[in-house]
Amino acid sequence: MTIRIATFNAENLFRRPVVFGIEDAAKRRGVLDAFNRLIELLDHSEYTRDDKTEILGILAAHGVDSAQETSTRAIALNEPRGGARLLRIQGGVVEVRAKGRPHWVGWVELVRGDLSLEGVKNTARVIAEVDADLLLTVEVEDRLTLHRFNEQVLAGQLGARPYPFNLLIDGNDSRGIDVGVLSRHPITSVRSHIFDTKEGDPVFSRDCPEFEVDFGHGVRLWLLGNHFKSKIGNPADTLRQRKRQAERVAAMYRAALDRCARVVVAGDLNDTLDSEPLAFLLTAGLRDAMTHPSYTGDPGTHGDGESPGDKLDYLMFSPELWDTVQAVDVERRGIFTPGKCFDTVTSKGDQASDHAALFADLAL
């Protein structure tokens, strides 16, 4: 029996935070840094005068007023009706009325915008072309979105084979981007790690769900899905977080081997094969699909993929699975690259993603 396993960072299926559409990298990072700082400040149990000044400064800079409206459509303050509020207008001046996190009800979030239908359909084209038996989906909004995309776009718009099984557990990412799976075979068990901590902080920025999949005839495998911390932000901090995540995944991989010799670690690991975080996984005995002799393409999976530095996405196999690998390839035509993409991909605005889909065929 030959099965195809794949991983694809789809960059959301219908709606994504509009901040990711800001082409200027410095401006995009500025919004994300401000958003993360705002979350940190709002979580304080008691707001100092300096806290309140900084909170108001960030909200004002991103167009959030006491009516919870945004002019930039990047950051929004969301407060349920009838609950205690963060802000008030006193003498025509906006103030922080809440004394601290326990004294108001609500949250801040990144404003989402609808993706173009052509972009969504191009995402479906990538998935249809790969036609994997088991597909790890990275940056997906929620399970119902995955279900609707599968039925309405993949099958409904394109007429491709839909997936009978899908699963996703909401993770820790405040932007609402999660890791899920589409499968043609039953998902018989799942383990979430959203509550794993180290030194009091969550290990995983999203989650590292473990999916057990039954291919029939006594063949089962475990898929550990990942989306490691990106390099946006302080380099030392983001590297430390990816190392924590990789170290934990390596331990989870070893534990999974006690249950089954067939284990896959996959997803967007946001680092290169020669990086410190990835060393934890390689030392544990995992081998990456793109190092298999059958793969002869470009080294990267992000952007044009021509540089080893563009290698962000991984399918890593346990020894027993590595011995069954027959072929490895990358589907890049969803990325806007003139002359190399689908005819339906005409710009970055309607590309499927800036990540390619990585897949491998295994003889089980």
Side-chain angles (χ1 to χ4, degrees):
M1 170 175 61
T2 299
I3 66 164
R4 176 167 289 182
I5 299 177
T7 181
F8 181 40
N9 184 330
E11 292 192 319
N12 299 100
L13 298 179
F14 288 107
R15 307 184 76 227
R16 73 190 311 251
V18 296
V19 63
F20 295 125
I22 299 174
E23 294 191 6
D24 186 298
K27 290 182 179 179
R28 183 171 63 250
R29 180 172 296 179
V31 173
L32 291 172
D33 287 347
F35 176 67
N36 290 329
R37 177 58 179 162
L38 185 56
I39 290 176
E40 179 185 341
L41 288 166
L42 292 175
D43 276 345
H44 290 177
S45 59
E46 183 177 340
Y47 299 147
T48 66
R49 180 178 297 179
D50 288 345
D51 287 344
K52 292 180 178 182
T53 299
E54 191 173 357
I55 288 168
L56 289 172
I58 295 173
L59 292 175
H62 294 279
V64 184
D65 63 17
S66 60
Q68 290 78 54
E69 296 176 351
T70 63
S71 60
T72 60
R73 286 188 52 80
I75 298 175
L77 176 61
N78 197 327
E79 295 177 301
R81 290 182 180 178
R85 292 183 172 271
L86 173 69
L87 305 177
R88 69 179 173 189
I89 299 178
Q90 187 79 11
V93 178
V94 178
E95 299 178 344
V96 175
R97 67 180 296 178
K99 296 179 180 179
R101 178 69 267 192
H103 301 282
W104 67 286
V105 180
W107 62 93
V108 289
E109 60 187 26
L110 292 175
V111 176
R112 290 179 175 271
D114 292 337
L115 297 175
S116 73
L117 177 59
E118 281 307 309
V120 175
K121 288 169 70 174
N122 283 326
T123 298
R125 287 186 179 96
V126 171
I127 292 173
E129 286 293 330
V130 172
D131 195 23
D133 296 284
L134 179 61
L135 171 66
L136 184 77
T137 59
V138 180
E139 290 199 20
V140 177
E141 293 95 315
D142 50 53
R143 199 198 73 80
L144 290 179
T145 292
L146 194 60
H147 177 71
R148 287 194 293 268
F149 172 82
N150 179 49
E151 288 196 339
Q152 298 174 12
V153 184
L154 187 63
Q157 294 281 325
L158 264 64
R161 286 200 301 160
Y163 286 87
F165 305 99
N166 66 79
L167 193 58
L168 182 150
I169 297 173
D170 285 337
N172 293 321
D173 197 298
S174 57
R175 299 166 298 177
I177 54 176
D178 297 310
V179 179
V181 66
L182 290 168
S183 179
R184 303 204 184 283
H185 302 271
I187 303 164
T188 55
S189 180
V190 61
R191 301 182 179 200
S192 174
H193 292 272
I194 58 175
F195 300 114
D196 289 10
T197 60
K198 186 167 185 177
E199 297 176 356
D201 296 320
V203 172
F204 294 107
S205 315
R206 290 90 188 178
D207 189 8
C208 178
E210 300 183 69
F211 302 106
E212 183 184 25
V213 184
D214 184 357
F215 291 91
H217 309 288
V219 177
R220 295 172 179 260
L221 66 74
W222 284 84
L223 172 65
L224 280 58
N226 291 274
H227 188 183
F228 282 5
K229 174 67 178 174
S230 75
K231 295 183 179 180
I232 296 175
N234 181 283
D237 290 342
T238 61
L239 175 61
R240 180 170 59 252
Q241 187 68 358
R242 286 193 303 281
K243 287 170 68 175
R244 282 185 175 184
Q245 292 166 349
E247 184 178 24
R248 179 69 182 115
V249 172
M252 291 162 53
Y253 162 70
R254 292 186 178 99
L257 283 178
D258 291 337
R259 304 189 298 269
C260 178
R262 294 178 290 271
V263 183
V264 185
V265 171
D268 179 356
L269 304 186
N270 267 316
D271 223 325
T272 55
L273 197 58
D274 60 353
S275 65
E276 290 183 74
L278 272 291
F280 287 102
L281 303 177
L282 297 174
T283 301
L286 287 157
R287 300 179 70 175
D288 177 56
M290 290 173 70
T291 65
H292 193 269
S294 65
Y295 182 71
T296 58
D298 288 336
T301 60
H302 182 260
D304 61 23
E306 295 177 355
S307 164
D310 297 326
K311 167 70 169 167
L312 300 180
D313 304 276
Y314 292 83
L315 286 175
M316 306 187 83
F317 299 113
S318 62
E320 180 163 319
L321 284 180
W322 179 261
D323 291 339
T324 71
V325 175
Q326 295 180 310
V328 177
D329 210 344
V330 177
E331 176 55 81
R332 306 180 186 278
R333 290 176 292 174
I335 301 172
F336 177 62
T337 310
K340 297 181 180 180
C341 51
F342 293 130
D343 292 342
T344 53
V345 177
T346 61
S347 68
K348 289 186 177 181
D350 63 16
Q351 68 180 359
S353 170
D354 59 8
H355 289 254
L358 170 62
F359 60 95
D361 294 332
L362 286 68
L364 296 183

